Amino acid sequence: MRRFLIIFPAIFVLVQISLTIADKAIWPFSNYSMFNRIPPKKGARPFLVLRLSDGTTETVSTHETLPIEFFKTFSVYKRIFQQSSEDKKEVFADWLIKTMNEEKWGYGDEVHKLYNPPAGVIVRGFELQLMNYDFSEWSNTKKVLISPGSIIYQTRSP
Amino acid sequence: MNFVERFLFQQSDVEKRREYFIISLVITIIIYLICGPYSPLIVDVHLLMNDRSQTLFGFILGDAFYYQIVRYACVVMFALALHKKFRKISFSAGTFLLFIFQYVHYAFLPERWNFNTHLLIFSILISITLYFEKSRHRELLNSFSISFPILYIGTLYFQAGLSKIIQSGLQWLKGDTILQNTYFTGTEIGRYLISFDFVPPTMATSTILCEMAVLFLILSSRYRLTGILLILLHCGIFVFMKISFWNLIALYPALFILGKPGLEPRQH
């Protein structure tokens, strides 16, 4: 027993560190690669541009729309809007709008509150859009240039 | 007895610290299952993402009712485990359901990120040790049920620091990762603070230093210092990036602060 209790943690630690070096995860082992990459100074991030029933639009992060860990939300969008069939995309889009309007979920995870439209207003449609950002002037101006980029998916106009 | 054996088998004040650890683990799992990122979302959308259920326990994804039954049965089992009388059976049953539950969530979206499996691994460990409570290995296992989670946590932070250095090199210390994530999804205070040029690199450097130091602090038995340092690190991360990691921090008082954390004195 004693020998096993020495060998087991040694192997466990070795597996975990090997996964970190390989940048892979084999459930339930984890590489714990949190925020390990440097995003480029100029790049694009996904946002949802929501079309509301009062004629306005609202831009929200994908983090604020699905009740799972915030760092997994864009993976769900990518799987559906870049790999699924048109029918599935439409079903998902309808489902998403419905859950936002019904305020079905409170918090996405324990920290991030999910988006719900203001009282008396409903979400009619959305565009999943990449927003271009540019941090190159940050050190002088403390401003980030943000401009609309390519649209990954947009719902039909109601 | 060598250093490794002392660390693994001679944790001090073991009975009390182990009880604190079991209680905090159980409460953390219950809160995580109720308020955490587990929702029937995956029941609603898994068929849109995957052509068929790709999990061994795919029936859970077939109906939100089954999903909620498993989720809340798990909560009830862990709640019962708070009472010593029911602990052995209910902790094991809860661990089995947690295994199914976490596996289904992983299979739903098998990405590189599965940062919550420590709860499952610690539960499996405690379940096993509960079955040896009356054996002659009891003392070894009681100490191990404290020392292994401590070693796991030390390794976790070491991995987090190592991963940053491997993937991004020392450039990570410039703080661009913290700057951009705080800007887009952080708190208002965090956004204000990153406007000072020295803040992102200072945060980045102190993050990596803390992460790499934890394992060494643990191995040199500075437990209280480790616990306080980690809680402060996570408070800092929350203030900037609005990321809580509460399901780790909740275990730190039991492992690093309460009771008499450390090793038994050497016997001459």
Side-chain angles (χ1 to χ4, degrees):
Chain A
M1 175 68 95
R2 202 182 183 91
R3 195 175 292 169
F4 171 77
L5 293 179
I6 294 172
I7 294 170
F8 169 73
I11 293 173
F12 196 93
V13 168
L14 215 63
V15 170
Q16 293 270 95
I17 291 179
S18 308
L19 288 173
T20 301
I21 293 168
D23 201 27
K24 284 188 175 147
I26 303 169
W27 188 89
F29 299 98
S30 177
N31 55 7
Y32 291 110
S33 58
M34 292 91 111
F35 297 99
N36 62 349
R37 295 180 204 269
I38 305 169
K41 281 206 186 298
K42 289 181 186 180
R45 289 176 78 107
F47 285 88
L48 282 185
V49 181
L50 304 170
R51 294 196 296 272
L52 305 181
S53 58
D54 62 0
T56 59
T57 60
E58 193 146 1
T59 303
V60 297
S61 158
T62 53
H63 293 181
E64 298 170 65
T65 56
L66 294 176
I68 51 170
E69 292 104 318
F70 71 91
F71 47 83
K72 289 184 178 172
T73 49
F74 188 53
S75 299
V76 174
Y77 282 103
K78 265 205 298 203
R79 285 243 196 149
I80 288 175
F81 291 120
Q82 294 183 340
Q83 292 168 22
S84 292
S85 65
E86 287 303 316
D87 288 351
K88 285 183 175 177
K89 288 178 193 173
E90 214 166 293
V91 171
F92 179 78
D94 289 345
W95 173 87
L96 185 64
I97 292 168
K98 193 165 163 250
T99 57
M100 278 194 268
N101 288 335
E102 286 176 356
E103 304 189 9
K104 190 171 176 181
W105 325 112
Y107 279 77
D109 50 22
E110 319 86 278
V111 181
H112 294 83
K113 189 159 184 355
L114 296 184
Y115 175 81
N116 290 127
V121 177
I122 58 166
V123 178
R124 290 255 191 245
F126 67 83
E127 287 164 10
L128 176 62
Q129 187 168 26
L130 290 175
M131 293 284 187
N132 297 322
Y133 65 79
D134 182 354
F135 272 87
S136 52
E137 292 300 314
W138 174 264
S139 52
N140 299 324
T141 62
K142 304 294 174 239
K143 285 197 173 127
V144 184
L145 298 172
I146 294 182
S147 58
S150 56
I151 293 172
I152 299 172
Y153 178 81
Q154 76 184 110
T155 54
R156 286 184 201 146
S157 296
Chain B
M1 189 178 281
N2 65 31
F3 171 75
V4 174
E5 287 180 287
R6 254 175 68 69
F7 171 76
L8 291 173
F9 308 130
Q10 294 218 315
Q11 290 291 322
S12 61
D13 201 12
V14 160
E15 297 285 333
K16 212 190 275 178
R17 288 170 65 206
R18 182 170 177 268
E19 185 61 21
Y20 291 149
F21 177 58
I22 291 175
I23 290 170
S24 49
L25 180 63
V26 164
I27 293 173
T28 304
I29 290 171
I30 291 173
I31 296 175
Y32 200 59
L33 282 166
I34 294 174
C35 308
Y38 297 123
S39 70
L41 157 94
I42 69 169
V43 177
D44 289 350
V45 303
H46 82 101
L47 281 177
L48 302 174
M49 291 170 53
N50 305 305
D51 287 338
R52 60 190 172 81
S53 171
Q54 295 175 343
T55 79
L56 276 177
F57 305 100
F59 70 95
I60 293 171
L61 294 173
D63 194 313
F65 177 74
Y66 297 144
Y67 179 91
Q68 298 288 34
I69 286 280
V70 174
R71 181 186 188 184
Y72 287 103
C74 191
V75 169
V76 170
M77 285 300 138
F78 276 110
L80 285 172
L82 286 170
H83 197 297
K84 279 188 175 174
K85 195 176 162 190
F86 309 114
R87 185 167 290 166
K88 202 196 285 183
I89 295 292
S90 56
F91 203 102
S92 309
T95 301
F96 176 67
L97 293 170
L98 185 67
F99 174 86
I100 295 176
F101 211 67
Q102 287 207 338
Y103 168 76
V104 169
H105 270 263
Y106 166 73
F108 162 72
L109 197 62
E111 299 281 353
R112 285 185 298 124
W113 311 295
N114 48 321
F115 300 150
N116 54 9
T117 49
H118 60 282
L119 296 175
L120 176 64
I121 288 165
F122 296 163
S123 298
I124 293 171
L125 170 76
I126 296 295
S127 296
I128 294 169
T129 60
L130 286 171
Y131 280 90
F132 285 91
E133 272 196 322
K134 286 180 184 157
S135 81
R136 63 195 169 92
H137 303 297
R138 174 195 157 92
E139 281 186 17
L140 279 186
L141 283 163
N142 279 357
S143 178
F144 188 78
S145 58
I146 293 289
S147 60
F148 181 75
I150 289 177
L151 179 67
Y152 185 100
I153 285 163
T155 311
L156 177 164
Y157 287 98
F158 183 76
Q159 289 176 267
L162 183 67
S163 159
K164 291 177 181 84
I165 290 172
I166 290 174
Q167 298 302 327
S168 304
L170 294 178
Q171 292 285 317
W172 202 90
L173 300 177
K174 285 186 176 173
D176 285 352
T177 305
I178 290 176
L179 170 72
Q180 290 200 21
N181 282 293
T182 305
Y183 182 85
F184 285 116
T185 52
T187 61
E188 285 299 322
I189 300 171
R191 273 186 218 126
Y192 169 72
L193 291 173
I194 54 167
S195 62
F196 298 98
D197 285 338
F198 70 93
V199 171
T202 307
M203 276 301 291
T205 309
S206 46
T207 300
I208 287 208
L209 283 178
C210 279
E211 287 176 340
M212 301 301 270
V214 168
L215 189 57
F216 300 101
L217 285 174
I218 281 171
L219 294 177
S220 55
S221 305
R222 294 188 174 92
Y223 290 177
R224 284 217 170 100
L225 176 64
T226 308
I228 291 165
L229 187 73
L230 289 178
I231 291 170
L232 289 175
L233 171 71
H234 285 295
C235 289
I237 294 172
F238 185 80
V239 164
F240 280 83
M241 294 162 71
K242 210 165 140 189
I243 297 168
S244 76
F245 290 109
W246 74 271
N247 56 59
L248 268 174
I249 307 170
L251 307 175
Y252 293 168
L255 290 173
F256 296 118
I257 296 170
L258 298 175
K260 291 177 190 152
L263 303 182
E264 293 284 358
R266 278 181 191 277
Q267 288 173 352
H268 297 287

mmCIF file of all heavy atoms in Angstrom, chain B residues 59-97:
data_model
loop_
_atom_site.group_PDB
_atom_site.id
_atom_site.type_symbol
_atom_site.label_atom_id
_atom_site.label_comp_id
_atom_site.label_asym_id
_atom_site.label_seq_id
_atom_site.Cartn_x
_atom_site.Cartn_y
_atom_site.Cartn_z
ATOM 1 N N PHE B 59 -28.157 8.556 -22.616
ATOM 2 C CA PHE B 59 -29.573 8.670 -22.239
ATOM 3 C C PHE B 59 -29.845 9.957 -21.474
ATOM 4 O O PHE B 59 -30.928 10.519 -21.538
ATOM 5 C CB PHE B 59 -30.017 7.448 -21.414
ATOM 6 C CG PHE B 59 -29.418 7.393 -20.043
ATOM 7 C CD1 PHE B 59 -30.099 7.902 -18.959
ATOM 8 C CD2 PHE B 59 -28.161 6.840 -19.830
ATOM 9 C CE1 PHE B 59 -29.553 7.863 -17.681
ATOM 10 C CE2 PHE B 59 -27.613 6.795 -18.558
ATOM 11 C CZ PHE B 59 -28.302 7.306 -17.484
ATOM 12 N N ILE B 60 -28.813 10.444 -20.768
ATOM 13 C CA ILE B 60 -28.993 11.671 -19.981
ATOM 14 C C ILE B 60 -29.305 12.844 -20.905
ATOM 15 O O ILE B 60 -30.030 13.761 -20.549
ATOM 16 C CB ILE B 60 -27.730 11.959 -19.148
ATOM 17 C CG1 ILE B 60 -27.585 10.885 -18.099
ATOM 18 C CG2 ILE B 60 -27.781 13.334 -18.501
ATOM 19 C CD1 ILE B 60 -26.284 10.933 -17.359
ATOM 20 N N LEU B 61 -28.737 12.773 -22.107
ATOM 21 C CA LEU B 61 -28.956 13.866 -23.045
ATOM 22 C C LEU B 61 -30.279 13.723 -23.797
ATOM 23 O O LEU B 61 -30.688 14.610 -24.520
ATOM 24 C CB LEU B 61 -27.804 13.918 -24.060
ATOM 25 C CG LEU B 61 -26.450 14.286 -23.460
ATOM 26 C CD1 LEU B 61 -25.349 14.141 -24.502
ATOM 27 C CD2 LEU B 61 -26.467 15.710 -22.941
ATOM 28 N N GLY B 62 -30.924 12.588 -23.606
ATOM 29 C CA GLY B 62 -32.161 12.346 -24.353
ATOM 30 C C GLY B 62 -33.334 13.157 -23.849
ATOM 31 O O GLY B 62 -34.262 13.440 -24.596
ATOM 32 N N ASP B 63 -33.289 13.534 -22.591
ATOM 33 C CA ASP B 63 -34.451 14.203 -22.008
ATOM 34 C C ASP B 63 -33.981 15.055 -20.831
ATOM 35 O O ASP B 63 -33.223 14.586 -19.987
ATOM 36 C CB ASP B 63 -35.423 13.115 -21.511
ATOM 37 C CG ASP B 63 -36.792 13.689 -21.193
ATOM 38 O OD1 ASP B 63 -36.848 14.728 -20.518
ATOM 39 O OD2 ASP B 63 -37.788 13.090 -21.621
ATOM 40 N N ALA B 64 -34.486 16.285 -20.766
ATOM 41 C CA ALA B 64 -34.086 17.182 -19.670
ATOM 42 C C ALA B 64 -34.463 16.577 -18.311
ATOM 43 O O ALA B 64 -33.800 16.835 -17.311
ATOM 44 C CB ALA B 64 -34.741 18.545 -19.840
ATOM 45 N N PHE B 65 -35.511 15.750 -18.302
ATOM 46 C CA PHE B 65 -35.950 15.127 -17.047
ATOM 47 C C PHE B 65 -34.858 14.194 -16.495
ATOM 48 O O PHE B 65 -34.493 14.260 -15.332
ATOM 49 C CB PHE B 65 -37.256 14.361 -17.294
ATOM 50 C CG PHE B 65 -37.755 13.636 -16.085
ATOM 51 C CD1 PHE B 65 -38.334 14.329 -15.021
ATOM 52 C CD2 PHE B 65 -37.656 12.254 -15.997
ATOM 53 C CE1 PHE B 65 -38.800 13.660 -13.900
ATOM 54 C CE2 PHE B 65 -38.120 11.579 -14.877
ATOM 55 C CZ PHE B 65 -38.690 12.281 -13.833
ATOM 56 N N TYR B 66 -34.308 13.328 -17.364
ATOM 57 C CA TYR B 66 -33.244 12.414 -16.927
ATOM 58 C C TYR B 66 -32.027 13.216 -16.438
ATOM 59 O O TYR B 66 -31.375 12.876 -15.461
ATOM 60 C CB TYR B 66 -32.786 11.493 -18.060
ATOM 61 C CG TYR B 66 -33.854 10.564 -18.581
ATOM 62 C CD1 TYR B 66 -33.911 10.245 -19.934
ATOM 63 C CD2 TYR B 66 -34.790 9.999 -17.729
ATOM 64 C CE1 TYR B 66 -34.891 9.395 -20.424
ATOM 65 C CE2 TYR B 66 -35.766 9.150 -18.209
ATOM 66 C CZ TYR B 66 -35.819 8.850 -19.553
ATOM 67 O OH TYR B 66 -36.771 8.023 -20.037
ATOM 68 N N TYR B 67 -31.753 14.250 -17.205
ATOM 69 C CA TYR B 67 -30.598 15.100 -16.874
ATOM 70 C C TYR B 67 -30.746 15.676 -15.459
ATOM 71 O O TYR B 67 -29.830 15.594 -14.642
ATOM 72 C CB TYR B 67 -30.505 16.218 -17.917
ATOM 73 C CG TYR B 67 -29.368 17.180 -17.698
ATOM 74 C CD1 TYR B 67 -28.129 16.967 -18.277
ATOM 75 C CD2 TYR B 67 -29.534 18.312 -16.898
ATOM 76 C CE1 TYR B 67 -27.084 17.853 -18.068
ATOM 77 C CE2 TYR B 67 -28.501 19.191 -16.685
ATOM 78 C CZ TYR B 67 -27.285 18.958 -17.279
ATOM 79 O OH TYR B 67 -26.252 19.835 -17.062
ATOM 80 N N GLN B 68 -31.927 16.230 -15.204
ATOM 81 C CA GLN B 68 -32.140 16.855 -13.891
ATOM 82 C C GLN B 68 -32.187 15.816 -12.776
ATOM 83 O O GLN B 68 -31.751 16.091 -11.656
ATOM 84 C CB GLN B 68 -33.448 17.680 -13.889
ATOM 85 C CG GLN B 68 -33.457 18.831 -14.879
ATOM 86 C CD GLN B 68 -32.543 19.989 -14.478
ATOM 87 O OE1 GLN B 68 -31.489 19.767 -13.888
ATOM 88 N NE2 GLN B 68 -32.913 21.203 -14.838
ATOM 89 N N ILE B 69 -32.702 14.628 -13.092
ATOM 90 C CA ILE B 69 -32.740 13.560 -12.077
ATOM 91 C C ILE B 69 -31.310 13.231 -11.633
ATOM 92 O O ILE B 69 -30.998 13.163 -10.442
ATOM 93 C CB ILE B 69 -33.414 12.284 -12.658
ATOM 94 C CG1 ILE B 69 -34.918 12.477 -12.768
ATOM 95 C CG2 ILE B 69 -33.084 11.047 -11.814
ATOM 96 C CD1 ILE B 69 -35.690 12.301 -11.475
ATOM 97 N N VAL B 70 -30.423 13.030 -12.619
ATOM 98 C CA VAL B 70 -29.036 12.689 -12.283
ATOM 99 C C VAL B 70 -28.381 13.839 -11.520
ATOM 100 O O VAL B 70 -27.706 13.634 -10.506
ATOM 101 C CB VAL B 70 -28.228 12.344 -13.562
ATOM 102 C CG1 VAL B 70 -26.760 12.125 -13.230
ATOM 103 C CG2 VAL B 70 -28.798 11.113 -14.236
ATOM 104 N N ARG B 71 -28.615 15.062 -11.997
ATOM 105 C CA ARG B 71 -28.013 16.235 -11.361
ATOM 106 C C ARG B 71 -28.431 16.350 -9.891
ATOM 107 O O ARG B 71 -27.592 16.490 -8.997
ATOM 108 C CB ARG B 71 -28.461 17.475 -12.144
ATOM 109 C CG ARG B 71 -27.925 18.781 -11.637
ATOM 110 C CD ARG B 71 -28.579 19.902 -12.430
ATOM 111 N NE ARG B 71 -28.023 21.198 -12.173
ATOM 112 C CZ ARG B 71 -28.519 22.317 -12.707
ATOM 113 N NH1 ARG B 71 -29.536 22.260 -13.528
ATOM 114 N NH2 ARG B 71 -27.983 23.478 -12.426
ATOM 115 N N TYR B 72 -29.729 16.262 -9.643
ATOM 116 C CA TYR B 72 -30.180 16.475 -8.278
ATOM 117 C C TYR B 72 -30.002 15.242 -7.391
ATOM 118 O O TYR B 72 -29.870 15.379 -6.174
ATOM 119 C CB TYR B 72 -31.610 17.036 -8.258
ATOM 120 C CG TYR B 72 -31.574 18.486 -8.709
ATOM 121 C CD1 TYR B 72 -31.969 18.857 -9.991
ATOM 122 C CD2 TYR B 72 -31.048 19.460 -7.879
ATOM 123 C CE1 TYR B 72 -31.873 20.177 -10.420
ATOM 124 C CE2 TYR B 72 -30.940 20.781 -8.294
ATOM 125 C CZ TYR B 72 -31.355 21.135 -9.562
ATOM 126 O OH TYR B 72 -31.229 22.430 -9.978
ATOM 127 N N ALA B 73 -29.975 14.055 -7.998
ATOM 128 C CA ALA B 73 -29.640 12.859 -7.209
ATOM 129 C C ALA B 73 -28.209 13.010 -6.695
ATOM 130 O O ALA B 73 -27.897 12.659 -5.548
ATOM 131 C CB ALA B 73 -29.775 11.607 -8.059
ATOM 132 N N CYS B 74 -27.355 13.539 -7.529
ATOM 133 C CA CYS B 74 -25.958 13.780 -7.144
ATOM 134 C C CYS B 74 -25.894 14.780 -5.986
ATOM 135 O O CYS B 74 -25.183 14.567 -4.997
ATOM 136 C CB CYS B 74 -25.207 14.305 -8.380
ATOM 137 S SG CYS B 74 -23.448 14.353 -8.190
ATOM 138 N N VAL B 75 -26.686 15.840 -6.089
ATOM 139 C CA VAL B 75 -26.736 16.851 -5.020
ATOM 140 C C VAL B 75 -27.194 16.196 -3.708
ATOM 141 O O VAL B 75 -26.587 16.389 -2.654
ATOM 142 C CB VAL B 75 -27.700 18.009 -5.405
ATOM 143 C CG1 VAL B 75 -27.970 18.925 -4.211
ATOM 144 C CG2 VAL B 75 -27.120 18.815 -6.564
ATOM 145 N N VAL B 76 -28.249 15.391 -3.790
ATOM 146 C CA VAL B 76 -28.794 14.762 -2.580
ATOM 147 C C VAL B 76 -27.763 13.812 -1.959
ATOM 148 O O VAL B 76 -27.561 13.807 -0.741
ATOM 149 C CB VAL B 76 -30.115 14.008 -2.911
ATOM 150 C CG1 VAL B 76 -30.557 13.145 -1.736
ATOM 151 C CG2 VAL B 76 -31.211 14.999 -3.275
ATOM 152 N N MET B 77 -27.094 13.026 -2.793
ATOM 153 C CA MET B 77 -26.098 12.077 -2.276
ATOM 154 C C MET B 77 -24.979 12.817 -1.541
ATOM 155 O O MET B 77 -24.566 12.413 -0.447
ATOM 156 C CB MET B 77 -25.501 11.250 -3.424
ATOM 157 C CG MET B 77 -26.420 10.193 -3.957
ATOM 158 S SD MET B 77 -26.844 9.052 -2.639
ATOM 159 C CE MET B 77 -28.556 8.809 -2.923
ATOM 160 N N PHE B 78 -24.498 13.889 -2.144
ATOM 161 C CA PHE B 78 -23.424 14.642 -1.474
ATOM 162 C C PHE B 78 -23.945 15.329 -0.208
ATOM 163 O O PHE B 78 -23.224 15.428 0.782
ATOM 164 C CB PHE B 78 -22.771 15.638 -2.434
ATOM 165 C CG PHE B 78 -21.700 14.999 -3.271
ATOM 166 C CD1 PHE B 78 -21.880 14.797 -4.628
ATOM 167 C CD2 PHE B 78 -20.519 14.553 -2.700
ATOM 168 C CE1 PHE B 78 -20.902 14.183 -5.399
ATOM 169 C CE2 PHE B 78 -19.533 13.939 -3.458
ATOM 170 C CZ PHE B 78 -19.729 13.754 -4.805
ATOM 171 N N ALA B 79 -25.195 15.792 -0.249
ATOM 172 C CA ALA B 79 -25.760 16.428 0.957
ATOM 173 C C ALA B 79 -25.831 15.396 2.097
ATOM 174 O O ALA B 79 -25.511 15.713 3.244
ATOM 175 C CB ALA B 79 -27.136 17.008 0.643
ATOM 176 N N LEU B 80 -26.224 14.180 1.767
ATOM 177 C CA LEU B 80 -26.283 13.129 2.798
ATOM 178 C C LEU B 80 -24.888 12.828 3.353
ATOM 179 O O LEU B 80 -24.738 12.479 4.525
ATOM 180 C CB LEU B 80 -26.893 11.847 2.221
ATOM 181 C CG LEU B 80 -28.417 11.848 1.998
ATOM 182 C CD1 LEU B 80 -28.837 10.588 1.251
ATOM 183 C CD2 LEU B 80 -29.146 11.929 3.337
ATOM 184 N N ALA B 81 -23.899 12.983 2.507
ATOM 185 C CA ALA B 81 -22.522 12.672 2.926
ATOM 186 C C ALA B 81 -22.007 13.637 3.990
ATOM 187 O O ALA B 81 -20.972 13.393 4.617
ATOM 188 C CB ALA B 81 -21.596 12.677 1.715
ATOM 189 N N LEU B 82 -22.730 14.741 4.215
ATOM 190 C CA LEU B 82 -22.318 15.655 5.288
ATOM 191 C C LEU B 82 -22.490 14.980 6.655
ATOM 192 O O LEU B 82 -21.823 15.331 7.614
ATOM 193 C CB LEU B 82 -23.150 16.949 5.228
ATOM 194 C CG LEU B 82 -22.791 17.903 4.083
ATOM 195 C CD1 LEU B 82 -23.819 19.011 3.972
ATOM 196 C CD2 LEU B 82 -21.400 18.500 4.284
ATOM 197 N N HIS B 83 -23.419 14.016 6.709
ATOM 198 C CA HIS B 83 -23.640 13.287 7.956
ATOM 199 C C HIS B 83 -22.737 12.052 7.956
ATOM 200 O O HIS B 83 -22.764 11.259 7.018
ATOM 201 C CB HIS B 83 -25.111 12.883 8.051
ATOM 202 C CG HIS B 83 -25.510 12.503 9.438
ATOM 203 N ND1 HIS B 83 -24.969 11.426 10.104
ATOM 204 C CD2 HIS B 83 -26.398 13.078 10.296
ATOM 205 C CE1 HIS B 83 -25.504 11.345 11.310
ATOM 206 N NE2 HIS B 83 -26.373 12.340 11.458
ATOM 207 N N LYS B 84 -21.985 11.893 9.031
ATOM 208 C CA LYS B 84 -20.999 10.795 9.070
ATOM 209 C C LYS B 84 -21.648 9.421 8.934
ATOM 210 O O LYS B 84 -21.056 8.496 8.398
ATOM 211 C CB LYS B 84 -20.199 10.859 10.360
ATOM 212 C CG LYS B 84 -19.076 11.873 10.294
ATOM 213 C CD LYS B 84 -18.197 11.775 11.508
ATOM 214 C CE LYS B 84 -17.016 12.721 11.355
ATOM 215 N NZ LYS B 84 -16.211 12.780 12.549
ATOM 216 N N LYS B 85 -22.888 9.305 9.425
ATOM 217 C CA LYS B 85 -23.570 8.016 9.427
ATOM 218 C C LYS B 85 -23.783 7.498 7.992
ATOM 219 O O LYS B 85 -23.690 6.304 7.733
ATOM 220 C CB LYS B 85 -24.915 8.186 10.143
ATOM 221 C CG LYS B 85 -25.579 6.914 10.542
ATOM 222 C CD LYS B 85 -26.853 7.251 11.330
ATOM 223 C CE LYS B 85 -27.782 6.057 11.376
ATOM 224 N NZ LYS B 85 -29.085 6.437 11.913
ATOM 225 N N PHE B 86 -24.101 8.398 7.088
ATOM 226 C CA PHE B 86 -24.405 7.986 5.712
ATOM 227 C C PHE B 86 -23.211 8.160 4.779
ATOM 228 O O PHE B 86 -23.318 7.927 3.578
ATOM 229 C CB PHE B 86 -25.561 8.820 5.142
ATOM 230 C CG PHE B 86 -26.770 8.877 6.017
ATOM 231 C CD1 PHE B 86 -27.175 10.063 6.596
ATOM 232 C CD2 PHE B 86 -27.503 7.723 6.270
ATOM 233 C CE1 PHE B 86 -28.291 10.122 7.414
ATOM 234 C CE2 PHE B 86 -28.623 7.776 7.087
ATOM 235 C CZ PHE B 86 -29.017 8.969 7.661
ATOM 236 N N ARG B 87 -22.116 8.654 5.306
ATOM 237 C CA ARG B 87 -21.065 9.176 4.435
ATOM 238 C C ARG B 87 -20.505 8.163 3.436
ATOM 239 O O ARG B 87 -20.392 8.465 2.246
ATOM 240 C CB ARG B 87 -19.928 9.780 5.265
ATOM 241 C CG ARG B 87 -18.871 10.453 4.396
ATOM 242 C CD ARG B 87 -17.936 11.291 5.200
ATOM 243 N NE ARG B 87 -18.582 12.493 5.721
ATOM 244 C CZ ARG B 87 -18.053 13.261 6.673
ATOM 245 N NH1 ARG B 87 -16.888 12.928 7.199
ATOM 246 N NH2 ARG B 87 -18.682 14.333 7.094
ATOM 247 N N LYS B 88 -20.174 6.986 3.930
ATOM 248 C CA LYS B 88 -19.455 6.044 3.065
ATOM 249 C C LYS B 88 -20.246 5.742 1.785
ATOM 250 O O LYS B 88 -19.743 5.887 0.671
ATOM 251 C CB LYS B 88 -19.182 4.745 3.825
ATOM 252 C CG LYS B 88 -18.023 3.968 3.227
ATOM 253 C CD LYS B 88 -17.958 2.539 3.681
ATOM 254 C CE LYS B 88 -17.477 2.302 5.050
ATOM 255 N NZ LYS B 88 -17.362 0.891 5.418
ATOM 256 N N ILE B 89 -21.501 5.355 1.958
ATOM 257 C CA ILE B 89 -22.325 4.967 0.811
ATOM 258 C C ILE B 89 -22.691 6.185 -0.034
ATOM 259 O O ILE B 89 -22.560 6.185 -1.264
ATOM 260 C CB ILE B 89 -23.628 4.273 1.301
ATOM 261 C CG1 ILE B 89 -23.296 2.962 1.991
ATOM 262 C CG2 ILE B 89 -24.592 4.038 0.134
ATOM 263 C CD1 ILE B 89 -22.744 1.885 1.100
ATOM 264 N N SER B 90 -23.156 7.241 0.632
ATOM 265 C CA SER B 90 -23.666 8.378 -0.141
ATOM 266 C C SER B 90 -22.530 9.117 -0.856
ATOM 267 O O SER B 90 -22.719 9.607 -1.974
ATOM 268 C CB SER B 90 -24.466 9.332 0.743
ATOM 269 O OG SER B 90 -23.686 9.749 1.818
ATOM 270 N N PHE B 91 -21.349 9.170 -0.239
ATOM 271 C CA PHE B 91 -20.230 9.836 -0.920
ATOM 272 C C PHE B 91 -19.854 9.059 -2.189
ATOM 273 O O PHE B 91 -19.614 9.646 -3.242
ATOM 274 C CB PHE B 91 -19.022 9.936 0.023
ATOM 275 C CG PHE B 91 -18.077 11.047 -0.350
ATOM 276 C CD1 PHE B 91 -18.072 12.242 0.346
ATOM 277 C CD2 PHE B 91 -17.208 10.914 -1.422
ATOM 278 C CE1 PHE B 91 -17.213 13.281 -0.009
ATOM 279 C CE2 PHE B 91 -16.347 11.938 -1.776
ATOM 280 C CZ PHE B 91 -16.354 13.118 -1.069
ATOM 281 N N SER B 92 -19.841 7.736 -2.089
ATOM 282 C CA SER B 92 -19.490 6.918 -3.261
ATOM 283 C C SER B 92 -20.541 7.071 -4.352
ATOM 284 O O SER B 92 -20.208 7.213 -5.535
ATOM 285 C CB SER B 92 -19.402 5.443 -2.898
ATOM 286 O OG SER B 92 -18.591 5.291 -1.795
ATOM 287 N N ALA B 93 -21.827 7.035 -3.933
ATOM 288 C CA ALA B 93 -22.900 7.180 -4.926
ATOM 289 C C ALA B 93 -22.824 8.552 -5.591
ATOM 290 O O ALA B 93 -22.946 8.674 -6.818
ATOM 291 C CB ALA B 93 -24.251 6.990 -4.252
ATOM 292 N N GLY B 94 -22.597 9.583 -4.780
ATOM 293 C CA GLY B 94 -22.465 10.940 -5.328
ATOM 294 C C GLY B 94 -21.297 11.037 -6.288
ATOM 295 O O GLY B 94 -21.393 11.648 -7.363
ATOM 296 N N THR B 95 -20.187 10.396 -5.931
ATOM 297 C CA THR B 95 -19.004 10.434 -6.796
ATOM 298 C C THR B 95 -19.289 9.742 -8.127
ATOM 299 O O THR B 95 -18.893 10.244 -9.194
ATOM 300 C CB THR B 95 -17.810 9.750 -6.090
ATOM 301 O OG1 THR B 95 -17.566 10.445 -4.865
ATOM 302 C CG2 THR B 95 -16.562 9.778 -6.942
ATOM 303 N N PHE B 96 -19.996 8.626 -8.072
ATOM 304 C CA PHE B 96 -20.337 7.916 -9.310
ATOM 305 C C PHE B 96 -21.212 8.799 -10.206
ATOM 306 O O PHE B 96 -20.965 8.915 -11.418
ATOM 307 C CB PHE B 96 -21.064 6.606 -8.971
ATOM 308 C CG PHE B 96 -21.523 5.857 -10.176
ATOM 309 C CD1 PHE B 96 -20.609 5.296 -11.062
ATOM 310 C CD2 PHE B 96 -22.880 5.719 -10.463
ATOM 311 C CE1 PHE B 96 -21.037 4.622 -12.196
ATOM 312 C CE2 PHE B 96 -23.313 5.045 -11.589
ATOM 313 C CZ PHE B 96 -22.394 4.496 -12.458
ATOM 314 N N LEU B 97 -22.208 9.454 -9.608
ATOM 315 C CA LEU B 97 -23.081 10.326 -10.404
ATOM 316 C C LEU B 97 -22.316 11.539 -10.933
ATOM 317 O O LEU B 97 -22.527 11.976 -12.063
ATOM 318 C CB LEU B 97 -24.277 10.778 -9.564
ATOM 319 C CG LEU B 97 -25.263 9.663 -9.177
ATOM 320 C CD1 LEU B 97 -26.267 10.161 -8.151
ATOM 321 C CD2 LEU B 97 -25.991 9.129 -10.402
#
